[in-house]
Amino acid sequence: MGKFNLAEHIAKGVVPELGTTGGREQIEYLDIDLLDDDPRNFYELSGLDELAANIELLGLQQPLRVRPSQEPGRYVIVSGHRRRAAVRQLVEDGRGDLRDIPCIVERGQASAALQELRLIYANSDTRKMTSADIGRQAERVEELLYQLKEEGYEFPGRMRDHVAEACKVSKSKLSRLKVIRENLEESWRVGYENGKLAESSAYALAQMPQERQRAIYDGLAKQGEYPNAVRAHCVEVYGDALAAVDKIDCQTYAHGPCANRDEMRKRVMSQSPYSYSYCRQCCADCPELAKCKYACPMLADRVKAMKEDAKARRQQEQQAKADQEQSDVEQNKALWRRFGEARAAAGKTMEECFESAGISVDKPFFKASEKLERLEGPFTPGTPLPYGYNSSLYEVRKFVKLADLLGVSLDYLLCRTDDPEGLAAAQPEDQLVLNGWMPGGTLPSTDCDVVADFDLGTGNTVREPCQFFDGEFLFASTCAPIDLPVVRWMALPPVEDSP
């Protein structure tokens, strides 16, 4: 038996066979009905419509390669399955002139293994193959080469090198394809074989345990993602996260595998691959325990208590926020009230006030200002003050906080007086100095005499002259703290000493 040089004959594009006689190959025209597919052809017949249109326009440019069948008068296709299928489509559409197909008939008697190798080589050069196609081809080529070796052919070197050369792929790619072929979980296999799952993603999956591959597939499907479109990087991230879950031991009730592992896997696969909150520890140590729907059922009592505490805190925060907003509304009203009282006492119109201050307002704001001054408009903490569009309680408070921090009056801060604690420059004789009611949510900025209305808790209020000292309202007569809610208060001007 002669030495079989695989590389040399692959380069020629034809695998020789024992018993082949010499002579030039010739083309014969055979009826399409006499041509049968080789049952060992595993390549998909795709793109037939495009190929048929090309043949109809230009004719069949390349003859088919066939061999005699065991059934007399019939032939088996070695190369040209797609071409025969495309021509069949045209013949059925009325192109009877294409019924006789040009073929090269191989007359030699080759072994079944050589015949199948010829089929594979012929098809691998004439079509674009998916990664799965190349994997199947490599697997079958390896099987056939071992079979030929048993039949007496000699192959120098390693078999993997011959398979890689025959399939025109690198040895490293051949190794990856073998891992995929042997280890890819069944749920992924259809997408991979259809060319929808990328080889890199399939390889990343195939290196994981089957159970983990299935968990990733089911998780992506539940997310509404098309699993076969997943990228290799995402597969690796999910795989690492699931591997971390598998390593978690129960630290609360017993040492050993976590009893909540399945739920943790679901949590991993419910999130984006770019999430940073994957399960990496026992649920008992997780900062998200109270709000996680995948929490360990053994911690149900702890979760319930944590939820109740969180609910109580939220209610307290909401109440504090509501109280603060109400206080802000009352203070906003007080500022509008004081502006209105001052404007009325000065005998100035709203237009004169805006014009004097250089405040440009439109008609809607002007109408809203008139209502707000009468305390008729809807008030919120952010309602603008009568100093222009951009004025608000929050802006006014910035000045007040600065003055309080520096321990001076606003008049001093705004250069209205040279006395850090005093009022503005002395008022002209007989000019009215106004004091207005301030809401109960506010406090005087300094110790002073005040008159205040207090809530008796019965729906009634009582008005008392009192003192404000060291952050508290005190009875004027006894200096005892007044332990009642303040509804409103008004600072009294200091009593001047008699001459």
Side-chain angles (χ1 to χ4, degrees):
M1 191 72 66
K3 183 177 180 180
F4 181 69
N5 190 327
L6 182 65
E8 174 185 344
H9 293 289
I10 288 178
K12 294 179 180 179
V14 178
V15 178
E17 53 190 327
L18 297 177
T20 301
T21 58
R24 183 176 298 176
E25 294 180 327
Q26 296 182 348
I27 294 176
E28 301 179 32
Y29 283 83
L30 302 175
D31 188 289
I32 193 171
D33 290 337
L34 299 178
L35 307 179
D36 300 320
D37 289 332
D38 191 322
R40 294 168 294 190
N41 179 43
F42 54 80
Y43 298 101
E44 184 181 357
L45 301 181
S46 59
L48 293 181
D49 291 340
E50 294 82 355
L51 181 58
N54 182 273
I55 294 174
E56 185 175 27
L57 179 65
L58 302 175
L60 188 61
Q61 300 296 303
Q62 183 178 1
L64 277 65
R65 199 171 193 89
V66 300
R67 67 173 182 272
S69 173
Q70 292 182 353
E71 184 179 348
R74 302 192 67 81
Y75 300 85
V76 177
I77 299 174
V78 175
S79 172
H81 292 80
R82 286 180 67 246
R83 280 168 281 161
R84 194 284 303 270
V87 172
R88 167 72 71 185
Q89 189 171 301
L90 292 172
V91 170
E92 291 176 352
D93 289 341
R95 288 295 304 272
D97 57 309
L98 297 176
R99 174 173 289 278
D100 292 333
I101 299 181
C103 300
I104 295 176
V105 181
E106 296 178 350
R107 300 295 180 181
Q109 296 299 318
S111 70
L114 269 179
Q115 291 178 4
E116 189 171 349
L117 267 178
R118 187 180 297 116
L119 168 71
I120 292 174
Y121 294 152
N123 281 278
S124 65
D125 285 334
T126 58
R127 68 182 64 232
K128 182 179 180 180
M129 292 189 292
T130 65
S131 175
D133 288 336
I134 297 173
R136 286 193 297 267
Q137 176 180 279
E139 180 182 25
R140 188 56 184 157
V141 166
E142 184 175 359
E143 293 173 354
L144 293 171
L145 290 179
Y146 274 116
Q147 184 174 337
L148 287 173
K149 193 172 183 179
E150 292 178 358
E151 293 177 5
Y153 290 95
E154 298 179 5
F155 303 102
R158 293 186 301 177
M159 184 64 71
R160 188 179 70 170
D161 296 339
H162 294 302
V163 175
E165 183 181 4
C167 296
K168 298 181 178 62
V169 296
S170 66
K171 288 179 284 186
S172 59
K173 182 180 179 70
L174 203 64
S175 297
R176 290 197 302 273
L177 296 178
K178 185 174 182 179
V179 171
I180 294 171
R181 188 171 64 249
E182 294 178 350
N183 301 326
L184 188 63
E185 201 270 335
E186 193 63 32
S187 57
W188 293 98
R189 193 168 296 278
V190 174
Y192 173 67
E193 292 179 350
N194 290 340
K196 295 177 180 177
L197 179 65
E199 179 185 319
S200 57
S201 300
Y203 182 61
L205 285 161
Q207 296 178 84
M208 303 177 191
Q210 296 267 318
E211 183 183 17
R212 195 171 300 162
Q213 295 184 51
R214 183 70 196 196
I216 295 176
Y217 185 92
D218 292 342
L220 289 173
K222 192 169 183 179
Q223 287 182 34
E225 298 288 341
Y226 185 60
N228 289 324
V230 68
R231 293 184 299 169
H233 171 71
C234 296
V235 167
E236 292 165 355
V237 171
Y238 280 129
D240 290 344
L242 292 172
V245 167
D246 291 341
K247 294 178 182 178
I248 297 174
D249 288 333
C250 180
Q251 302 295 326
T252 307
Y253 294 95
H255 291 288
C258 175
N260 196 44
R261 184 173 298 173
D262 289 342
E263 290 301 304
M264 286 185 171
R265 289 170 178 164
K266 292 178 183 178
R267 183 175 185 273
V268 167
M269 292 310 306
S270 70
Q271 301 177 83
S272 161
Y274 305 105
S275 172
Y276 292 95
S277 61
Y278 288 135
C279 297
R280 297 180 176 87
Q281 63 209 344
C282 176
C283 290
D285 302 323
C286 180
E288 300 183 18
L289 175 61
K291 57 183 179 181
C292 180
K293 67 178 182 179
Y294 301 97
C296 178
M298 295 182 182
L299 301 171
D301 291 341
R302 187 187 303 185
V303 170
K304 181 179 179 181
M306 293 174 70
K307 288 183 176 180
E308 289 175 351
D309 290 343
K311 182 179 180 180
R313 286 196 302 272
R314 286 196 302 270
Q315 290 175 341
Q316 292 173 356
E317 291 170 359
Q318 291 170 359
Q319 185 60 49
K321 181 179 179 182
D323 292 344
Q324 182 60 52
E325 288 181 351
Q326 183 59 35
S327 175
D328 292 346
V329 167
E330 292 300 323
Q331 191 168 359
N332 205 321
K333 289 182 178 180
L335 291 172
W336 271 100
R337 183 189 301 113
R338 181 158 293 190
F339 172 78
E341 292 171 351
R343 185 185 63 76
K348 302 297 182 181
T349 64
M350 190 74 78
E351 292 94 331
E352 289 175 321
C353 291
F354 288 151
E355 183 178 353
S356 173
I359 299 172
S360 176
V361 299
D362 56 19
K363 191 172 182 180
F365 181 81
F366 181 79
K367 288 185 176 181
S369 297
E370 291 181 329
K371 288 187 176 182
L372 293 171
E373 190 184 52
R374 298 192 300 268
L375 305 184
E376 296 176 358
F379 279 89
T380 69
T383 297
L385 294 173
Y387 314 124
Y389 294 110
N390 297 324
S391 66
S392 68
L393 181 62
Y394 306 120
E395 297 299 321
V396 169
R397 280 180 174 167
K398 293 178 183 178
F399 291 97
V400 174
K401 287 180 180 179
L402 285 173
D404 290 344
L405 177 67
L406 301 175
V408 299
S409 68
L410 282 174
D411 285 323
Y412 179 81
L413 198 62
L414 299 177
C415 298
R416 294 277 291 165
T417 180
D418 293 330
D419 182 359
E421 297 181 359
L423 299 175
Q427 301 293 332
E429 189 175 355
D430 297 330
Q431 180 168 328
L432 179 64
V433 177
L434 292 173
N435 288 302
W437 287 104
M438 296 298 291
T442 63
L443 295 175
S445 58
T446 60
D447 296 341
C448 60
D449 293 327
V450 298
V451 61
D453 291 343
F454 295 94
D455 187 355
L456 296 175
T458 60
N460 298 319
T461 60
V462 61
R463 180 166 295 178
E464 287 285 338
C466 53
Q467 294 179 337
F468 181 79
F469 180 75
D470 198 20
E472 289 185 297
F473 290 96
L474 311 175
F475 286 107
S477 58
T478 64
C479 294
I482 303 176
D483 191 18
L484 292 171
V486 180
V487 178
R488 66 185 66 85
W489 58 270
M490 180 188 298
L492 301 177
V495 178
E496 298 181 2
D497 295 334
S498 300

